[in-house]
Amino acid sequence: NAGVTQTPKFHILKIGQSMTLQCTQDMNHNYMYWYRQDPGMGLKLIYYSVGAGITDKGEVPNGYNVSRSTTEDFPLRLELAAPSQTSVYFCASSYSGQGSNSPLHFGNGTRLTVT
Amino acid sequence: GENVEQHPSTLSVQEGDSAVIKCTYSDSASNYFPWYKQELGKGPQLIIDIRSNVGEKKDQRIAVTLNKTAKHFSLHITETQPEDSAVYFCAASKRSASKIIFGSGTRLSIRP
């Protein structure tokens, strides 16, 4: 199993451009999450999904959109990129919700710079 | 809402010594407390977890303790080695929750 795969690993975006960060998992996990991690800071939840066709906002959803058309894929879209979106983005998945004591499996992140 | 506080934010210990990282949670209904280790350039990885019906759990050189009354839980690393250098995150969640709450992280450095 590859686990959680994120692409690209690095990207530089100009202010106002849009892009999609890709995330796919091959563990048949129902739950998927997007976090951002600013330098020296902790993890902030952007969006999450409890299954195909269902998404919900986390702590910091503004400026982002997600979709979950399949169990495997959970892309994160940035519209009209701003410098404040410069961060490292992590996708994660789990078999069931965190309340069911199900550990998170993280990808290795996408380092995004908006200039 | 639920909040998890983590201390210290940075910790430097001599190789071979012990390291302790402490967390406090606010929601008494929390019942699952995992610890994640994040190495440079990688995503966090689960290293140990504890459930609310257990007071202590060990796995080789790492251990986690839970004090439900005080709403504290701690990570203990003994006989520290260079490969223990990383950022460590505590977290808490409760039954029926879809998402977990992370602490702010502790950067652990092991001095040779």
Side-chain angles (χ1 to χ4, degrees):
Chain A
N1 287 349
V4 178
T5 302
Q6 292 184 238
T7 57
K9 288 183 172 24
F10 305 93
H11 195 80
I12 299 174
L13 203 57
K14 291 191 187 312
I15 295 171
Q17 288 185 329
S18 300
M19 80 165 293
T20 299
L21 308 186
Q22 301 291 344
C23 175
T24 187
Q25 52 91 9
D26 62 358
M27 297 173 283
N28 201 31
H29 284 171
N30 292 318
Y31 289 69
M32 296 189 75
Y33 306 80
W34 275 107
Y35 292 89
R36 61 176 285 173
Q37 184 177 36
D38 298 329
M41 303 292 286
L43 297 158
K44 293 183 180 178
L45 183 64
I46 305 171
Y47 269 97
Y48 67 101
S49 168
V50 303
I54 306 170
T55 62
D56 208 347
K57 295 178 180 179
E59 300 172 75
V60 290
N62 291 346
Y64 306 95
N65 276 302
V66 293
S67 59
R68 185 93 182 273
S69 56
T70 66
T71 299
E72 295 78 19
D73 300 309
F74 190 41
L76 177 72
R77 178 129 181 108
L78 281 72
E79 304 281 1
L80 298 175
S84 61
Q85 293 178 303
T86 294
S87 190
V88 180
Y89 291 84
F90 288 102
C91 179
S93 72
S94 63
Y95 179 71
S96 56
Q98 297 304 302
S100 299
N101 305 344
S102 180
L104 285 166
H105 297 258
F106 284 86
N108 282 330
T110 294
R111 185 175 297 274
L112 179 69
T113 302
V114 182
T115 62
Chain B
E2 169 77 276
N3 185 46
V4 176
E5 292 189 1
Q6 182 171 348
H7 300 281
S9 56
T10 60
L11 179 61
S12 178
V13 301
Q14 193 76 33
E15 183 177 349
D17 288 350
S18 295
V20 180
I21 302 170
K22 299 181 178 181
C23 289
T24 304
Y25 60 98
S26 61
D27 191 338
S28 56
S30 295
N31 68 336
Y32 176 59
F33 308 93
W35 286 87
Y36 288 83
K37 176 183 181 182
Q38 184 180 23
E39 297 177 343
L40 195 62
K42 296 187 176 181
Q45 185 172 13
L46 180 75
I47 54 171
I48 194 167
D49 56 14
I50 192 168
R51 288 160 175 76
S52 59
N53 59 345
V54 175
E56 183 176 4
K57 183 177 178 180
K58 288 183 180 179
D59 183 2
Q60 299 182 354
R61 293 186 299 107
I62 60 173
V64 57
T65 58
L66 172 64
N67 183 330
K68 287 171 55 181
T69 302
K71 292 190 280 188
H72 289 170
F73 59 113
S74 301
L75 178 71
H76 304 252
I77 306 174
T78 59
E79 300 174 11
T80 52
Q81 299 171 5
E83 55 264 36
D84 295 329
S85 293
V87 177
Y88 291 82
F89 291 98
C90 64
S93 73
K94 57 185 178 182
R95 198 173 302 279
S96 79
S98 297
K99 51 192 186 292
I100 204 161
I101 307 299
F102 283 95
S104 54
T106 296
R107 184 174 298 279
L108 174 63
S109 300
I110 307 301
R111 302 190 304 270

Coordinates of all heavy atoms in Angstrom, one line a residue, chain A residues 31 33 35 37 40-43 45 48 50 57-58 90 97-109 111, chain B residues 31-32 34 36 38 41-46 49 51 87 89 93-100 102-105 107:
Chain A
Y31 N -12.8 8.5 6.1 CA -12.6 9.8 6.5 C -11.3 10.4 5.9 O -10.3 9.7 5.9 CB -12.5 9.9 8.0 CG -13.8 9.6 8.7 CD1 -14.4 8.4 8.7 CD2 -14.4 10.7 9.4 CE1 -15.6 8.2 9.4 CE2 -15.7 10.5 10.0 CZ -16.2 9.2 10.0 OH -17.4 9.0 10.6
Y33 N -9.0 14.3 5.5 CA -8.8 15.6 6.1 C -7.8 16.4 5.4 O -6.8 15.8 4.8 CB -8.4 15.4 7.6 CG -9.2 14.6 8.4 CD1 -9.1 13.2 8.4 CD2 -10.2 15.1 9.3 CE1 -9.9 12.3 9.2 CE2 -11.0 14.3 10.1 CZ -10.8 12.9 10.0 OH -11.6 12.1 10.8
Y35 N -5.2 19.6 6.3 CA -4.6 20.5 7.3 C -3.6 21.4 6.7 O -3.0 21.1 5.7 CB -3.9 19.7 8.4 CG -4.7 18.8 9.3 CD1 -5.0 17.5 9.0 CD2 -5.2 19.3 10.5 CE1 -5.8 16.7 9.8 CE2 -6.0 18.5 11.4 CZ -6.3 17.3 11.0 OH -7.1 16.5 11.8
Q37 N -0.1 23.7 7.9 CA 0.8 23.9 8.9 C 1.8 25.1 8.6 O 2.6 25.0 7.7 CB 1.7 22.6 9.2 CG 2.6 22.7 10.3 CD 3.4 21.4 10.6 OE1 3.7 20.7 9.6 NE2 3.6 21.1 11.8
G40 N 6.6 26.7 12.2 CA 6.7 26.7 13.6 C 5.4 26.6 14.3 O 5.3 26.8 15.5
M41 N 4.4 26.3 13.6 CA 3.0 26.3 14.2 C 2.4 24.9 14.1 O 3.0 24.0 13.5 CB 2.1 27.2 13.4 CG 2.6 28.7 13.4 SD 2.6 29.4 15.0 CE 0.8 29.7 15.3
G42 N 1.3 24.7 14.7 CA 0.6 23.4 14.7 C -0.2 23.2 13.5 O -0.1 23.9 12.5
L43 N -1.1 22.2 13.6 CA -1.9 21.8 12.5 C -3.3 22.4 12.6 O -4.0 22.3 13.6 CB -2.1 20.3 12.4 CG -0.7 19.5 12.2 CD1 -0.8 18.1 12.8 CD2 -0.4 19.5 10.8
L45 N -7.1 22.5 10.9 CA -8.0 21.8 10.0 C -8.7 22.7 9.0 O -9.4 23.7 9.4 CB -9.0 21.0 10.8 CG -10.0 20.1 10.0 CD1 -9.2 19.0 9.3 CD2 -11.0 19.5 11.0
Y48 N -12.8 18.6 6.0 CA -12.8 17.2 6.1 C -14.0 16.5 5.5 O -15.0 17.2 5.1 CB -12.7 16.8 7.6 CG -13.9 17.1 8.4 CD1 -14.8 16.1 8.8 CD2 -14.1 18.3 9.0 CE1 -15.9 16.3 9.6 CE2 -15.2 18.6 9.7 CZ -16.1 17.6 10.0 OH -17.2 17.9 10.8
V50 N -16.4 12.8 5.6 CA -16.7 11.5 6.3 C -17.1 10.4 5.3 O -17.4 9.3 5.7 CB -17.8 11.7 7.3 CG1 -17.4 12.8 8.3 CG2 -19.2 12.1 6.7
K57 N -16.7 21.9 6.8 CA -15.6 22.9 7.1 C -14.9 22.6 8.4 O -15.5 22.1 9.4 CB -16.3 24.3 7.2 CG -16.8 24.8 5.9 CD -17.5 26.2 6.1 CE -18.1 26.7 4.8 NZ -18.7 28.0 4.9
G58 N -13.6 22.9 8.4 CA -12.9 22.8 9.7 C -12.7 24.2 10.3 O -13.6 25.1 10.2
F90 N -1.2 19.3 4.5 CA -1.1 17.9 4.7 C -2.5 17.3 4.5 O -3.5 17.9 5.1 CB -0.7 17.6 6.1 CG 0.8 17.8 6.3 CD1 1.2 18.9 7.0 CD2 1.7 16.9 5.9 CE1 2.6 19.1 7.2 CE2 3.1 17.1 6.1 CZ 3.5 18.2 6.7
G97 N -14.2 7.9 12.1 CA -14.0 9.2 12.7 C -13.1 9.1 14.0 O -12.9 8.1 14.6
Q98 N -12.6 10.3 14.3 CA -11.6 10.4 15.4 C -12.3 9.9 16.7 O -11.6 9.5 17.6 CB -11.1 11.8 15.5 CG -10.3 12.2 14.3 CD -9.2 11.2 14.0 OE1 -8.3 11.0 14.9 NE2 -9.2 10.6 12.9
G99 N -13.6 10.1 16.8 CA -14.3 9.6 18.0 C -14.3 8.1 18.2 O -14.6 7.6 19.2
S100 N -14.0 7.4 17.1 CA -13.9 6.0 17.2 C -12.5 5.5 17.4 O -12.2 4.3 17.2 CB -14.4 5.4 15.9 OG -15.8 5.7 15.7
N101 N -11.6 6.4 17.8 CA -10.2 6.1 18.2 C -9.5 5.5 17.0 O -8.8 4.5 17.1 CB -10.2 5.1 19.3 CG -11.0 5.6 20.5 OD1 -11.3 6.8 20.6 ND2 -11.3 4.7 21.4
S102 N -9.7 6.1 15.8 CA -9.1 5.6 14.6 C -7.9 6.5 14.3 O -8.1 7.7 14.1 CB -10.1 5.6 13.5 OG -9.6 5.2 12.3
P103 N -6.7 6.0 14.2 CA -5.5 6.9 14.0 C -5.5 7.5 12.6 O -6.0 6.9 11.6 CB -4.3 5.9 14.1 CG -4.8 4.6 14.0 CD -6.3 4.6 14.4
L104 N -4.9 8.7 12.5 CA -4.8 9.4 11.2 C -3.5 8.9 10.5 O -2.5 8.7 11.1 CB -4.6 10.9 11.5 CG -5.9 11.6 11.8 CD1 -5.6 13.0 12.4 CD2 -6.8 11.8 10.6
H105 N -3.6 8.8 9.2 CA -2.5 8.5 8.3 C -2.3 9.7 7.4 O -3.2 10.1 6.7 CB -2.8 7.3 7.4 CG -3.0 6.0 8.2 ND1 -2.0 5.0 8.3 CD2 -4.1 5.6 8.9 CE1 -2.5 4.0 9.1 NE2 -3.7 4.4 9.5
F106 N -1.1 10.3 7.6 CA -0.8 11.5 6.8 C 0.0 11.3 5.6 O 0.9 10.3 5.5 CB 0.0 12.5 7.7 CG -0.8 13.2 8.8 CD1 -1.0 12.6 10.0 CD2 -1.3 14.5 8.6 CE1 -1.7 13.2 11.0 CE2 -2.0 15.1 9.5 CZ -2.2 14.5 10.7
G107 N -0.2 12.2 4.6 CA 0.7 12.2 3.5 C 2.0 13.0 3.9 O 2.1 13.5 5.0
N108 N 2.9 13.2 2.9 CA 4.2 13.9 3.2 C 4.1 15.4 2.9 O 5.1 16.1 3.1 CB 5.3 13.3 2.5 CG 5.8 12.0 3.2 OD1 5.7 11.9 4.4 ND2 6.3 11.1 2.4
G109 N 2.9 15.9 2.5 CA 2.7 17.3 2.5 C 3.0 17.9 1.1 O 3.8 17.4 0.3
R111 N 4.3 21.7 -0.1 CA 4.8 23.0 0.3 C 4.5 24.0 -0.7 O 5.0 24.0 -1.8 CB 6.3 23.0 0.5 CG 6.9 24.2 1.1 CD 8.4 24.1 1.4 NE 8.7 23.1 2.4 CZ 8.7 23.3 3.7 NH1 8.4 24.5 4.2 NH2 8.9 22.3 4.6
Chain B
N31 N -11.9 10.9 25.1 CA -11.6 9.6 25.5 C -10.5 8.9 24.7 O -10.2 7.7 24.9 CB -12.9 8.7 25.4 CG -13.3 8.5 24.0 OD1 -13.0 9.2 23.1 ND2 -14.0 7.4 23.8
Y32 N -9.9 9.7 23.8 CA -8.8 9.1 23.0 C -7.7 10.1 22.9 O -8.0 11.3 22.5 CB -9.4 8.7 21.6 CG -8.3 8.2 20.7 CD1 -7.5 7.0 21.0 CD2 -8.1 8.8 19.4 CE1 -6.6 6.6 20.1 CE2 -7.2 8.3 18.5 CZ -6.4 7.2 18.8 OH -5.5 6.7 18.0
P34 N -4.0 10.4 21.2 CA -2.8 9.9 20.5 C -1.7 10.9 20.5 O -1.9 12.1 20.7 CB -3.4 9.8 19.0 CG -4.4 10.9 19.0 CD -5.0 11.0 20.4
Y36 N 1.6 12.1 18.0 CA 2.2 12.0 16.7 C 3.6 12.6 16.7 O 3.9 13.6 17.3 CB 1.3 12.7 15.6 CG 0.0 12.0 15.3 CD1 -1.1 12.2 16.2 CD2 -0.1 11.2 14.2 CE1 -2.3 11.6 15.9 CE2 -1.3 10.6 13.9 CZ -2.4 10.8 14.8 OH -3.6 10.1 14.5
Q38 N 6.5 14.1 14.1 CA 6.7 14.7 12.7 C 8.2 14.9 12.5 O 8.8 15.8 13.1 CB 6.0 15.9 12.5 CG 6.1 16.5 11.1 CD 5.3 17.8 10.9 OE1 5.0 18.5 11.8 NE2 4.9 18.0 9.6
G41 N 10.4 17.4 7.0 CA 10.0 17.2 5.6 C 8.9 16.1 5.5 O 8.6 15.7 4.3
K42 N 8.4 15.6 6.6 CA 7.4 14.5 6.5 C 6.1 14.8 7.2 O 6.0 15.8 7.9 CB 8.0 13.2 7.1 CG 9.2 12.7 6.3 CD 9.6 11.3 6.8 CE 10.7 10.7 6.0 NZ 11.1 9.4 6.5
G43 N 5.1 14.0 7.0 CA 3.8 14.2 7.7 C 3.9 13.6 9.1 O 4.8 12.7 9.3
P44 N 3.1 14.0 10.0 CA 3.1 13.4 11.3 C 2.7 11.9 11.2 O 2.0 11.4 10.3 CB 1.9 14.1 12.0 CG 1.8 15.4 11.3 CD 2.1 15.1 9.9
Q45 N 3.3 11.1 12.2 CA 3.0 9.7 12.2 C 2.7 9.3 13.7 O 3.4 9.7 14.6 CB 4.3 8.9 11.8 CG 4.1 7.4 11.7 CD 5.3 6.8 11.0 OE1 6.4 7.4 10.8 NE2 5.1 5.5 10.6
L46 N 1.7 8.5 13.8 CA 1.3 8.0 15.1 C 2.4 7.2 15.8 O 2.9 6.3 15.1 CB 0.0 7.2 15.0 CG -0.5 6.6 16.3 CD1 -1.2 7.7 17.1 CD2 -1.5 5.5 16.1
D49 N -0.8 5.8 21.5 CA -2.0 6.4 21.9 C -2.5 5.7 23.2 O -2.1 4.6 23.5 CB -3.1 6.3 20.7 CG -3.3 4.8 20.3 OD1 -2.9 3.9 21.0 OD2 -3.9 4.7 19.2
R51 N -6.3 5.3 25.6 CA -7.7 5.5 25.8 C -8.0 5.8 27.2 O -7.3 5.5 28.1 CB -8.4 4.3 25.2 CG -8.3 4.2 23.7 CD -8.6 2.8 23.2 NE -8.6 2.8 21.7 CZ -7.5 2.8 20.9 NH1 -6.4 2.9 21.5 NH2 -7.6 2.8 19.6
V87 N 9.3 17.0 15.8 CA 8.2 17.7 16.5 C 7.2 16.7 16.9 O 6.8 15.8 16.1 CB 7.6 18.8 15.5 CG1 6.4 19.5 16.2 CG2 8.6 19.8 15.1
F89 N 3.3 16.1 18.5 CA 2.0 16.6 18.7 C 1.2 15.7 19.6 O 1.1 14.5 19.3 CB 1.3 16.8 17.4 CG 1.8 17.8 16.5 CD1 2.7 17.5 15.5 CD2 1.5 19.2 16.7 CE1 3.2 18.5 14.6 CE2 2.0 20.2 15.8 CZ 2.9 19.8 14.8
S93 N -9.6 13.5 21.3 CA -10.9 13.4 20.7 C -11.9 12.7 21.6 O -11.5 12.1 22.5 CB -10.9 12.7 19.3 OG -10.7 11.3 19.5
K94 N -13.2 12.8 21.2 CA -14.2 12.2 22.0 C -15.1 11.4 21.1 O -15.2 11.6 19.9 CB -15.0 13.2 22.8 CG -15.7 14.2 22.0 CD -16.4 15.3 22.8 CE -17.0 16.4 22.0 NZ -17.7 17.4 22.8
R95 N -15.8 10.4 21.7 CA -16.7 9.5 21.0 C -17.7 10.4 20.3 O -18.2 11.4 20.8 CB -17.4 8.6 22.0 CG -18.0 7.4 21.3 CD -18.6 6.4 22.3 NE -17.5 6.0 23.2 CZ -16.7 5.0 22.9 NH1 -16.7 4.4 21.8 NH2 -15.7 4.7 23.8
S96 N -18.1 10.0 19.1 CA -19.0 10.7 18.2 C -18.4 11.8 17.4 O -19.0 12.4 16.5 CB -20.3 11.2 18.9 OG -20.0 12.4 19.6
A97 N -17.1 12.2 17.7 CA -16.5 13.3 17.0 C -16.0 12.8 15.7 O -15.5 11.7 15.6 CB -15.4 13.9 17.9
S98 N -16.1 13.7 14.7 CA -15.5 13.4 13.4 C -14.0 13.8 13.3 O -13.3 13.3 12.4 CB -16.3 14.0 12.3 OG -17.6 13.6 12.2
K99 N -13.6 14.7 14.1 CA -12.3 15.2 14.0 C -11.6 15.3 15.3 O -12.2 15.3 16.4 CB -12.3 16.6 13.3 CG -13.3 17.6 13.9 CD -13.4 18.8 13.1 CE -14.3 19.9 13.7 NZ -15.6 19.5 13.9
I100 N -10.3 15.4 15.3 CA -9.4 15.4 16.5 C -8.9 16.8 16.7 O -8.7 17.6 15.7 CB -8.3 14.4 16.3 CG1 -7.8 13.9 17.6 CG2 -7.2 14.9 15.4 CD1 -7.0 12.6 17.5
F102 N -5.6 19.0 17.9 CA -4.2 18.9 18.1 C -3.7 19.9 19.1 O -4.2 21.1 19.1 CB -3.4 19.0 16.8 CG -3.5 17.8 15.9 CD1 -4.4 17.6 14.9 CD2 -2.6 16.7 16.1 CE1 -4.5 16.5 14.1 CE2 -2.6 15.6 15.3 CZ -3.6 15.5 14.3
G103 N -2.7 19.6 19.8 CA -1.9 20.6 20.5 C -1.0 21.3 19.6 O -0.9 21.0 18.4
S104 N -0.3 22.3 20.1 CA 0.5 23.2 19.2 C 1.9 22.7 18.8 O 2.6 23.2 18.0 CB 0.7 24.6 19.9 OG 1.2 24.4 21.2
G105 N 2.3 21.5 19.4 CA 3.5 20.9 19.1 C 4.7 21.2 20.0 O 4.7 22.3 20.5
R107 N 9.0 21.0 19.7 CA 10.2 20.6 19.0 C 11.2 20.1 19.9 O 11.7 20.8 20.8 CB 10.7 21.9 18.2 CG 11.9 21.5 17.3 CD 12.3 22.8 16.5 NE 11.3 23.2 15.6 CZ 11.0 22.7 14.4 NH1 11.7 21.6 14.0 NH2 10.0 23.1 13.7

